[in-house]
Amino acid sequence: MWLGPEEVLLAGALWVTERANPFFLLQRRRGHGKGGGLTGLLVGTLDVVLDSSARVAPYRILHQTQDSQVYWAVACGSSRKEITKHWEWLENNLLQTLSIFDNEEDITTFVKGKIHGIIAEENKNEQPQSEEDPGKFKEAELKMRKQFGMPEVEKLVNYYSCSYWKGRVPRQGWLYLTVNHLCFYSFLLGKEVTLVIQWVDVTQLEKNATLLFPECIKVSTRDSELYFSMFLNINETFKLMEQLANIAMRQLLDNESFLQDKSLPKPRKPLKNISALKRDLDARAKNECYRATFRLPKDECLDGHTDCTLWTPFNKMHIPGQMFVSNNYICFASKAEEACHLIIPLREVTIVEKADSSSVLPSPLSISTKSKMTFFFANLKDRDFLVQRISDFLQRTPSKKPCSIEREWKWNLADPGCEEVPELPSSSPLAVSPTSALSNRPVNFCAGEVPTASQGLLKLFRRNSEELLGPKGAKEKMKEESWNIHFSEYGRGMCMYRTAKTRGLVQKGIPENLRGELWLLFSGAWNEMVTHPGYYADLVEKSMGKYSLATEEIERDLHRSMPEHPAFQNELGIAALRRVLTAYAFRNPTIGYCQAMNIVTSVLLLYCNEEEAFWLLVALCERMLPDYYNTRVVGALVDQGIFEELTREYLPQLSEKMQDLGVISTISLSWFLTLFLSVMPFESAVVIVDCFFYEGIKFILQVSLAILDANMEKLLQCCDEGEAMTILGRYLDNVVNRQSISPPIPHLHALLTSGDDPPLEIDIFELIKTSYEKFSNLKADDIEQMRFKQRLKVIQSLEDTAKKSVVRAVSSDIGFSIEELEELYVVFKAKYLMSCYWGNNRAAAARRDQSLPYLEQYRIDMEQFKELFISLTPWSCGAHTPVLAGRLFRLLDENRDCLINFKEFVTGMSGMYHGDLTEKLKVLYKLHLPPALNPEETESALEATSYFTEDVTTEETQEDKERRSENGPEKEEKGTSPQDYRYYLRMWAKEKESKKETIKDLPKMSQEQFIELCKTLYNMFSEDPVEQELYHAIATVASLLLRIGEVGKKFSNRPMRKSEDCKANNTQDPVSEEESPTSEQSQNSAVEQQPQADHEDKTCGDAQPEKTQQENQTLGDGSGEGQGSPLQLLSDDETKDDMSMSSYSMVSTGSLQCEDIADDTVLVGCEGSSSAARYGSTIDTDWSISFEQILASMLTETALVNYFEKKVNILQKIKDQKKVERQFSSSSDYELSSVSG
């Protein structure tokens, strides 16, 4: 490419001049291309280590003048072809002009101006695609593409200098991290190392330091372990690798392929060597951390953060921390973890103003809300910019509808300083939860007003318990009073100051009247509910009456959801549960419905109205317990892995015992999926849920550890899994909540207690207190880090399980070994995944349905199948191979959705690799019959009868006729009697038997189909070691079969005069059963055959002797080549693939000069002609040949038998295919192999 002229002082250093004229030099980098010797090796090594641009552009053109010592680089090129093009342009357009100048400075000025003009013209024509990427980075991306043969769509994220440890020797080179691959390249003194690893193949990423390896990153795959070290910034590199591997796992899990965010704000300062993609990934990481910390909706994007202090009125202090600003929220997190958290929704903000600075409060900022709360921030570095950003976001915040404002003011009636609703007496039958004012508009859930639209089930079904008047009632009132005092000091609603005191109150149990409100606030569900008014009601309306697999499962589980609670012993509670679960399944079909969701949702409905319960379920499934409730409960398995890891760390003695017993995997799923609701008495488990909504998964893990710790001595003495399960089950059954004011709900004990001693009761609050005392040092950030590590392990384990399941499912019917099937599965899956991230469209990702069996999840289309077929088939047919691949695909695609699964794929491959000559020929024979042969005629009657059952149906009817003629009318009578079940049983048995296809089931082949078969065989034998023998053998067989077909025609049809045949053929309908459209290659022969076809069309109407004479002449010409050399016409590749040439060669043995086959030879001669010629030509519709006849003829030729019975190693083919995929791009013209030699 042309370069803006750059000054070069030492033109000869490390470069070799290849061409020169008075004004320009064309140079090649030493070490590039052939030769180079030791100097070349040293230069190549320097280029790699120093990341020289000469690796990408080993050719350049310099401008020089005779007396000057300074040179100017004006062009560079990656290949000789590219640089030669520039050189020729300079010679043709500039040399003559430059010779006119007298002054050398004028020459240089003119050349510079001309080159700048060319570059400006090129830039004007090309639309810059990634302006944000700096020049140095673009150069690195170009190196990556050329070095590893990656396409344009594969984007480089970042690259790092590092060492790869090959054995005990470090190889210094460059690590390229792309969206889908990890690549490494090193070239040291002729020793070259090239690595390409897909992120989806990575099973483990670790950052560690050992005696052998200094601080390094270990990348594990199923086959190898790779070590990289000597990074300038190892933490940044490792974090990026984790992100990319996580994106790949997400793709495996739910098809979320990576899409770059184009709406990122531009950096205020230019960033050196940081790509837009790297900025995008950094922003994603920050967004995820921000959303998780403050429980914000999934679409919230962080705009920026800054250090500041927050004035906290409850303790009269300025707390240092960070302010975070995003599209819809202003948040604050103190540096001391438990000191203070604050979330201010912009929808609540009324005034943002800058206060006067002072020495005590420099750069203060005041933010006021609708609830009359004011927040003071100080020590802001760039206050003016921050105020401007907040103002911009406030302008974009959608104004609320009047009804929403009215509802919100209702919320604030009781206390103008906080979000609260006046509390009705709990004894009132219409008592509502504090949050229900939001939903007190009439909600018509398709069946009129329902009570659960405005309040929780617990208030509708509360019994007049004596507990309300006793000590438990007094305790409950004290709790409520404690919370009211807390609200008055710290605020209420979303803008509450959240401190260690808040957590302390949650640990003591949330009062029942406040439970729904605080669950919504702490989980963040409140934000989504307020910003989506009416969403739930619309979903209910849309989903009611819709039937799916999810709704069927929901109906099955409705009556299993807390059946012991009175609220779910009648239709009101069941109907509410049905609506919430169905609405969620409708909102998120990826999850749909999973067992355990019913138990959790039923508890939510006790304390919240339907809309609130729905949004809590959304928060639970999509943010707080990610991937828990999908078809493979991946999230729960990930957290189970974390639990095992934490057990090893905190309870090392018990860990080994639990591993031996295999208990952790059994217990943890039921604990985590239902948040202990299914294993603990309801009154106790609901306190666990209180803490979970405040703390997240961290609390569930620490309580689980506390339970194991409390039972350690008993568990260490266990002999088997059953005994350990009994101990833990008995313990959990007896965790009690002595403060609960609700009447006790009978708990369905998982295990019956045995023995005479009464069980020891454990107070839930004591258990929670113990868990905080012993395991409170668990950090949310550490858990997220562990989640990543475990997610890699779990998803790869699930993929291995899927592979084994698929291989096991197909191995019984397929000739391949287990090892071969596993390798084929890897190749098949890789091809599918490649289409997801390198395909022209994203349709490939939509093909994968997680609800399908493993065998159906990965499916490929025709283009991908062709690529696999070409690289793996033992029947290489040159240019004809894609045509054969297309036919096989259509044969395998039985349901005609243009996609095939793995079983169909290996069935096709097995037909070519396994079985005897008969089986392989049968596959080849089917590829030349409908539906494989003619995909275009989808509407024709021919395809309608031949699709799927064509092979079976036509033959069955023929058999029925024969049997009917043998057995007389008895068969017909049974067939017409609908009451005769024995007849239907026989028909069913016959259908089952028909799956075992015999050679007699195959329909006969028409003349056109036979010609196609011969053409395929001719192409198949090309470049075979015994090519000539095979050609001679197939010519002999084809001659014999043509005569057999002709003789068979005489026996099978009534005699007709030849002139009538001719007329019938001329008037034949163009779209007949035998006239299937020929392949694309046949169009090439149309020009050659047109004169002959026209001539024969004329002779067809004349006397028959003239026609016969013409045909004999044709045969004579064909046989003139001599019987011993029938294939001299096929010497070059194009004629080999030409149908007409194949046809002529087939009949050129001289043995066909016979009156009986004259009609046939005319057909063979004009087969390749255009459709217009074919429709007028003499197609012999009566000619046919059977599979048995072809097989018998083939068996007479040893060369053909040997060809089809030779064994081919598919594992070697797969190995070669992987090598080809990893070869360097052919456009690079970078002869690395010769350099290393």
Side-chain angles (χ1 to χ4, degrees):
M1 63 179 180
W2 298 106
L3 301 174
E6 297 174 1
E7 193 170 319
V8 177
L9 294 176
L10 297 171
L14 309 181
W15 293 84
V16 179
T17 302
E18 293 198 335
R19 297 169 76 171
N21 61 42
F23 302 104
F24 298 101
L25 297 175
L26 190 156
Q27 295 186 325
R28 172 178 56 80
R29 187 73 164 178
R30 289 185 188 275
H32 178 81
K34 295 179 182 177
L38 182 60
T39 311
L41 293 178
L42 289 170
V43 172
T45 302
L46 280 172
D47 285 344
V48 170
V49 173
L50 301 176
D51 196 29
S52 166
S53 59
R55 284 178 55 210
V56 182
Y59 298 94
R60 70 179 183 182
I61 296 174
L62 302 180
H63 165 63
Q64 61 156 3
T65 51
Q66 290 179 352
D67 298 333
S68 174
Q69 296 299 313
V70 178
Y71 295 80
W72 299 87
V74 294
C76 67
S78 59
S79 65
R80 191 178 295 278
K81 183 179 177 183
E82 182 186 355
I83 204 69
T84 304
K85 183 180 173 185
H86 290 333
W87 178 262
E88 288 173 353
W89 188 90
L90 290 171
E91 284 191 327
N92 296 333
N93 294 281
L94 286 191
L95 278 189
Q96 196 171 356
T97 308
L98 295 178
S99 61
I100 299 169
F101 288 92
D102 295 329
N103 188 340
E104 290 186 353
E105 287 184 10
D106 292 343
I107 293 173
T108 302
T109 306
F110 179 79
V111 169
K112 283 184 181 179
K114 194 69 179 172
I115 298 300
H116 280 302
I118 293 170
I119 293 170
E121 190 65 29
E122 284 180 351
N123 290 342
K124 187 175 72 174
N125 295 334
E126 290 181 11
Q127 292 294 327
Q129 293 180 345
S130 53
E131 292 177 352
E132 297 174 357
D133 292 346
K136 185 72 176 169
F137 184 86
K138 287 181 184 175
E139 190 179 289
E141 189 166 44
L142 188 62
K143 288 175 196 168
M144 180 272 296
R145 292 222 179 92
K146 289 185 176 299
Q147 192 66 61
F148 305 104
M150 298 289 178
E152 287 283 330
V153 290
E154 183 68 359
K155 299 293 184 185
L156 178 65
V157 180
N158 214 349
Y159 62 106
Y160 302 93
S161 173
C162 69
S163 289
Y164 161 62
W165 291 79
K166 192 169 184 180
R168 298 193 176 190
V169 181
R171 300 295 181 85
Q172 185 66 27
W174 290 87
L175 182 72
Y176 297 90
L177 304 181
T178 74
V179 173
N180 301 298
H181 295 86
L182 177 153
C183 308
F184 177 82
Y185 179 73
S186 170
F187 179 81
L188 293 176
L189 300 178
K191 298 291 183 183
E192 187 179 45
V193 176
T194 305
L195 295 173
V196 179
I197 298 165
Q198 288 189 19
W199 288 117
V200 289
D201 292 333
V202 173
T203 56
Q204 195 174 9
L205 273 178
E206 286 183 295
K207 185 176 66 174
N208 51 27
T210 62
L211 288 173
L212 180 60
F213 302 115
E215 193 177 26
C216 68
I217 295 173
K218 175 185 170 187
V219 181
S220 303
T221 66
R222 290 178 179 83
D223 308 319
S224 58
E225 292 181 348
L226 311 171
Y227 293 88
F228 300 93
S229 65
M230 301 185 194
F231 290 94
L232 195 63
N233 188 339
I234 192 168
N235 292 325
E236 179 197 321
T237 310
F238 184 70
K239 189 178 175 184
L240 180 58
M241 290 168 83
E242 278 190 328
Q243 273 187 286
L244 293 168
N246 220 357
I247 289 169
M249 292 307 105
R250 181 60 54 191
Q251 185 181 357
L252 283 178
L253 181 61
D254 53 17
N255 282 342
E256 278 189 16
S257 51
F258 179 80
L259 290 172
Q260 186 179 350
D261 184 4
K262 302 289 186 183
S263 60
L264 280 177
K266 290 193 175 182
R268 297 171 69 190
K269 296 177 183 176
L271 301 170
K272 187 180 178 183
N273 290 350
I274 296 181
S275 68
L277 262 178
K278 175 72 167 64
R279 287 180 50 231
D280 182 5
L281 285 169
D282 289 345
R284 284 175 192 232
K286 287 177 182 175
N287 287 337
E288 284 170 15
C289 182
Y290 170 61
R291 289 192 292 260
T293 304
F294 299 103
R295 306 275 169 79
L296 299 177
K298 289 181 79 174
D299 56 353
E300 195 63 25
C301 293
L302 178 65
D303 186 68
H305 57 91
T306 181
D307 290 337
C308 67
T309 58
L310 171 68
W311 168 254
T312 50
F314 51 85
N315 60 0
K316 308 292 188 291
M317 286 177 64
H318 292 282
I319 298 179
Q322 281 192 317
M323 177 196 279
F324 300 84
V325 179
S326 61
N327 308 9
N328 301 294
Y329 299 90
I330 298 169
C331 301
F332 175 85
S334 58
K335 289 185 177 174
E337 190 180 358
E338 288 296 325
C340 184
H341 269 211
L342 178 66
I343 302 167
I344 309 171
L346 290 181
R347 63 178 182 270
E348 296 287 326
V349 173
T350 53
I351 301 170
V352 178
E353 57 184 349
K354 293 180 278 189
D356 294 334
S357 291
S358 66
S359 56
V360 181
L361 277 180
S363 305
L365 181 68
S366 165
I367 297 176
S368 302
T369 66
K370 294 174 184 175
S371 55
K372 307 292 189 269
M373 291 182 78
T374 303
F375 304 95
F376 287 101
F377 297 91
N379 294 287
L380 292 159
K381 290 180 182 176
D382 199 344
R383 184 177 61 168
D384 294 340
F385 177 75
L386 179 66
V387 170
Q388 184 59 49
R389 291 302 291 164
I390 295 173
S391 301
D392 291 344
F393 287 132
L394 279 171
Q395 286 175 2
R396 279 181 263 175
T397 303
S399 57
K400 289 187 175 295
K401 297 176 183 176
C403 62
S404 300
I405 293 172
E406 187 181 339
R407 275 185 271 155
E408 216 156 302
W409 283 116
K410 282 182 186 176
W411 175 262
N412 295 326
L413 284 175
D415 183 355
C418 60
E419 292 185 355
E420 187 184 2
V421 79
E423 199 176 304
L424 296 177
S426 57
S427 58
S428 166
L430 294 174
V432 294
S433 66
T435 55
S436 61
L438 246 177
S439 303
N440 60 11
R441 65 179 176 82
V443 181
N444 179 14
F445 292 140
C446 309
E449 182 66 35
V450 289
T452 49
S454 58
Q455 55 194 317
L457 286 166
L458 205 61
K459 292 186 176 169
L460 292 170
F461 290 92
R462 175 171 286 166
R463 301 167 187 169
N464 292 323
S465 172
E466 296 176 4
E467 303 289 354
L468 292 172
L469 305 173
K472 288 186 180 179
K475 182 79 174 173
E476 185 77 0
K477 287 291 180 187
M478 284 175 62
K479 280 187 186 178
E480 286 185 24
E481 189 58 33
S482 298
W483 275 98
N484 286 329
I485 293 168
H486 186 78
F487 290 149
S488 63
E489 289 183 18
Y490 293 83
R492 189 169 185 176
M494 282 310 298
C495 300
M496 180 200 308
Y497 292 98
R498 302 172 197 211
T499 64
K501 189 177 177 183
T502 314
R503 191 182 74 176
L505 283 173
V506 172
Q507 287 173 30
K508 292 173 184 175
I510 297 174
E512 285 193 355
N513 286 332
L514 296 174
R515 194 161 262 148
E517 174 190 348
L518 293 176
W519 282 0
L520 284 164
L521 294 179
F522 295 148
S523 66
W526 173 257
N527 288 318
E528 290 181 287
M529 187 170 71
V530 170
T531 53
H532 294 83
Y535 177 85
Y536 172 69
D538 292 341
L539 264 186
V540 170
E541 194 172 340
K542 288 176 185 173
S543 62
M544 289 304 275
K546 298 284 172 63
Y547 177 81
S548 67
L549 182 63
T551 57
E552 185 182 336
E553 290 175 347
I554 288 168
E555 287 299 325
R556 190 180 62 219
D557 285 352
L558 283 175
H559 294 278
R560 302 177 191 171
S561 311
M562 294 189 69
E564 66 276 12
H565 198 286
F568 297 99
Q569 292 168 357
N570 66 83
E571 188 52 36
L572 183 65
I574 295 293
L577 183 60
R578 178 188 292 114
R579 281 191 292 271
V580 173
L581 289 173
T582 307
Y584 186 76
F586 198 75
R587 165 192 164 89
N588 190 345
T590 307
I591 291 176
Y593 171 77
C594 173
Q595 280 189 332
M597 284 171 71
N598 60 320
I599 295 170
V600 175
T601 309
S602 57
V603 173
L604 300 179
L605 279 166
L606 290 175
Y607 298 99
C608 308
N609 66 43
E610 283 185 40
E611 186 177 16
E612 294 162 356
F614 170 79
W615 286 112
L616 276 169
L617 185 62
V618 169
L620 207 65
C621 295
E622 296 175 15
R623 287 188 285 108
M624 299 189 74
L625 297 176
D627 305 320
Y628 259 60
Y629 300 105
N630 58 25
T631 49
R632 297 191 278 181
V633 292
V634 171
L637 293 172
V638 168
D639 287 347
Q640 176 184 296
I642 294 174
F643 183 43
E644 289 182 15
E645 202 173 324
L646 292 173
T647 308
R648 279 194 296 274
E649 183 180 341
Y650 289 99
L651 309 168
Q653 275 183 298
L654 187 59
S655 172
E656 195 174 335
K657 181 74 174 179
M658 298 292 274
Q659 283 297 121
D660 294 341
L661 297 175
V663 174
I664 288 185
S665 58
T666 311
I667 58 173
S668 52
L669 274 182
S670 58
W671 294 3
F672 297 163
L673 278 169
T674 64
L675 305 175
F676 288 94
L677 287 165
S678 64
V679 294
M680 202 181 272
F682 169 73
E683 302 84 8
S684 306
V686 81
V687 182
I688 299 274
V689 177
D690 290 343
C691 297
F692 165 74
F693 277 124
Y694 189 81
E695 295 274 18
I697 192 63
K698 164 181 174 288
F699 177 75
I700 300 294
L701 290 167
Q702 71 184 38
V703 165
S704 302
L705 288 170
I707 292 168
L708 290 186
D709 184 50
N711 292 278
M712 186 186 293
E713 289 182 13
K714 293 179 182 177
L715 289 170
L716 286 172
Q717 295 169 6
C718 286
C719 301
D720 56 33
E721 182 185 0
E723 191 180 346
M725 293 290 291
T726 305
I727 289 167
L728 291 170
R730 192 176 297 151
Y731 178 86
L732 290 169
D733 283 342
N734 293 290
V735 175
V736 296
N737 179 1
R738 298 190 180 95
Q739 298 177 13
S740 174
I741 60 167
S742 295
I745 297 166
H747 178 54
L748 298 178
H749 292 271
L751 299 156
L752 295 172
T753 53
S754 58
D756 300 327
D757 298 332
L760 181 68
E761 288 189 342
I762 303 97
D763 186 78
I764 182 64
F765 298 105
E766 283 299 316
L767 177 63
I768 290 172
K769 185 181 175 186
T770 305
S771 77
Y772 274 102
E773 287 172 355
K774 292 190 174 182
F775 308 108
S776 62
N777 55 349
L778 283 178
K779 298 286 183 290
D781 292 344
D782 296 338
I783 289 171
E784 281 306 312
Q785 186 67 28
M786 292 164 80
R787 267 182 169 171
F788 162 75
K789 182 180 172 183
Q790 292 297 331
R791 192 178 291 119
L792 272 183
K793 194 182 294 182
V794 167
I795 292 178
Q796 294 294 15
S797 172
L798 287 170
E799 288 296 310
D800 289 341
T801 305
K803 179 169 73 174
K804 287 173 185 172
S805 299
V806 170
V807 167
R808 194 165 52 246
V810 303
S811 58
S812 56
D813 308 326
I814 306 296
F816 291 116
S817 67
I818 297 294
E819 183 190 2
E820 289 170 337
L821 284 171
E822 287 183 348
E823 286 296 320
L824 280 169
Y825 181 82
V826 170
V827 171
F828 183 86
K829 178 179 149 189
K831 185 60 68 177
Y832 164 82
L833 291 172
M834 206 171 284
S835 72
C836 289
Y837 53 71
W838 282 354
N840 293 328
N841 52 37
R842 299 277 170 183
R847 297 178 203 152
R848 190 176 176 208
D849 184 354
Q850 293 279 356
S851 64
L852 291 172
Y854 288 136
L855 189 60
E856 293 284 341
Q857 285 189 13
Y858 294 117
R859 295 181 294 166
I860 59 174
D861 61 21
M862 186 181 284
E863 289 307 311
Q864 295 163 285
F865 177 78
K866 281 182 180 178
E867 291 170 20
L868 286 176
F869 182 91
I870 290 167
S871 59
L872 298 178
T873 180
W875 298 344
S876 180
C877 301
H880 191 64
T881 309
V883 177
L884 203 64
R887 288 178 187 168
L888 182 58
F889 182 87
R890 289 189 290 274
L891 187 68
L892 297 172
D893 181 22
E894 293 188 349
N895 60 355
R896 271 200 173 175
D897 61 353
C898 298
L899 297 169
I900 61 169
N901 62 29
F902 179 68
K903 184 173 184 179
E904 291 163 337
F905 169 70
V906 292
T907 301
M909 287 288 123
S910 182
M912 295 183 286
Y913 274 93
H914 297 289
D916 54 12
L917 170 72
T918 307
E919 293 300 315
K920 290 178 180 176
L921 276 180
K922 194 193 290 184
V923 173
L924 200 57
Y925 185 84
K926 283 183 180 178
L927 293 182
H928 297 82
L929 294 173
L933 189 63
N934 43 335
E936 295 88 359
E937 295 183 359
T938 51
E939 301 293 331
S940 70
L942 166 65
E943 195 131 86
T945 57
S946 65
Y947 179 56
F948 288 139
T949 55
E950 193 268 343
D951 298 357
V952 178
T953 314
T954 51
E955 291 306 305
E956 280 179 2
T957 53
Q958 187 65 31
E959 287 175 19
D960 288 347
K961 286 178 185 175
E962 290 171 10
R963 289 177 185 172
R964 210 173 280 128
S965 61
E966 290 172 12
N967 301 337
E970 182 187 355
K971 183 92 174 177
E972 290 180 7
E973 287 173 16
K974 287 189 177 181
T976 55
S977 168
Q979 288 83 13
D980 190 353
Y981 63 89
R982 287 172 297 176
Y983 168 71
Y984 291 108
L985 283 173
R986 274 199 302 274
M987 291 296 290
W988 178 76
K990 192 193 295 181
E991 284 176 17
K992 299 293 281 183
E993 284 173 12
S994 67
K995 291 181 181 177
K996 295 177 182 177
E997 191 177 53
T998 65
I999 58 175
K1000 290 184 179 180
D1001 295 329
L1002 295 169
K1004 290 189 175 183
M1005 185 175 271
S1006 71
Q1007 219 172 37
E1008 258 190 323
Q1009 292 160 357
F1010 179 66
I1011 298 304
E1012 284 290 335
L1013 175 61
C1014 293
K1015 175 184 174 183
T1016 300
L1017 288 167
Y1018 269 92
N1019 283 289
M1020 195 183 291
F1021 302 148
S1022 173
E1023 298 178 10
D1024 194 271
V1026 290
E1027 183 179 359
Q1028 290 300 318
E1029 288 179 42
L1030 288 167
Y1031 282 143
H1032 184 77
I1034 196 59
T1036 307
V1037 168
S1039 307
L1040 179 60
L1041 288 169
L1042 286 167
R1043 281 183 286 175
I1044 290 172
E1046 194 64 30
V1047 172
K1049 181 176 71 170
K1050 289 185 176 181
F1051 284 98
S1052 60
N1053 297 316
R1054 57 191 176 85
M1056 293 175 66
R1057 293 196 310 277
K1058 290 185 178 179
S1059 59
E1060 287 175 358
D1061 278 343
C1062 192
K1063 286 180 185 176
N1065 287 329
N1066 274 332
T1067 57
Q1068 186 183 16
D1069 185 86
V1071 187
S1072 64
E1073 182 166 319
E1074 281 75 25
E1075 268 192 74
S1076 56
T1078 54
S1079 60
E1080 292 174 2
Q1081 283 102 335
S1082 65
Q1083 298 300 320
N1084 299 333
S1085 58
V1087 178
E1088 300 171 26
Q1089 295 300 322
Q1090 190 69 40
Q1092 185 179 343
D1094 291 342
H1095 182 69
E1096 287 173 321
D1097 286 347
K1098 291 175 186 175
T1099 60
C1100 192
D1102 297 338
Q1104 187 62 32
E1106 290 179 26
K1107 179 182 173 188
T1108 307
Q1109 186 180 354
Q1110 175 68 32
E1111 287 160 2
N1112 287 338
Q1113 182 62 46
T1114 304
L1115 285 171
D1117 294 341
S1119 60
E1121 293 298 321
Q1123 199 161 350
S1125 57
L1127 293 163
Q1128 291 176 15
L1129 289 170
L1130 299 170
S1131 57
D1132 84 45
D1133 293 338
E1134 290 183 9
T1135 39
K1136 277 182 185 176
D1137 193 45
D1138 186 87
M1139 186 186 298
S1140 62
M1141 289 297 107
S1142 300
S1143 304
Y1144 275 123
S1145 303
M1146 197 190 324
V1147 296
S1148 63
T1149 58
S1151 59
L1152 301 184
Q1153 296 180 9
C1154 171
E1155 288 276 326
D1156 294 330
I1157 56 168
D1159 292 345
D1160 182 64
T1161 52
V1162 173
L1163 173 80
V1164 174
C1166 68
E1167 168 59 19
S1169 62
S1170 66
S1171 58
R1174 276 172 49 225
Y1175 296 153
S1177 64
T1178 56
I1179 302 298
D1180 194 339
T1181 57
D1182 298 327
W1183 190 99
S1184 64
I1185 198 85
S1186 70
F1187 177 72
E1188 295 100 312
Q1189 291 165 330
I1190 291 176
L1191 176 61
S1193 305
M1194 290 273 198
L1195 288 169
T1196 62
E1197 293 292 334
T1198 310
L1200 292 174
V1201 173
N1202 292 341
Y1203 178 85
F1204 282 104
E1205 290 196 338
K1206 69 181 175 187
K1207 300 291 182 187
V1208 182
N1209 184 0
I1210 194 165
L1211 291 176
Q1212 187 58 44
K1213 285 265 187 187
I1214 293 170
K1215 194 175 178 182
D1216 295 342
Q1217 186 242 5
K1218 288 179 179 176
K1219 281 182 184 174
V1220 169
E1221 284 185 352
R1222 294 288 170 246
Q1223 277 179 351
F1224 304 139
S1225 172
S1226 57
S1227 62
S1228 68
D1229 194 29
Y1230 202 171
E1231 301 92 356
L1232 285 165
S1233 55
S1234 58
V1235 174
S1236 59

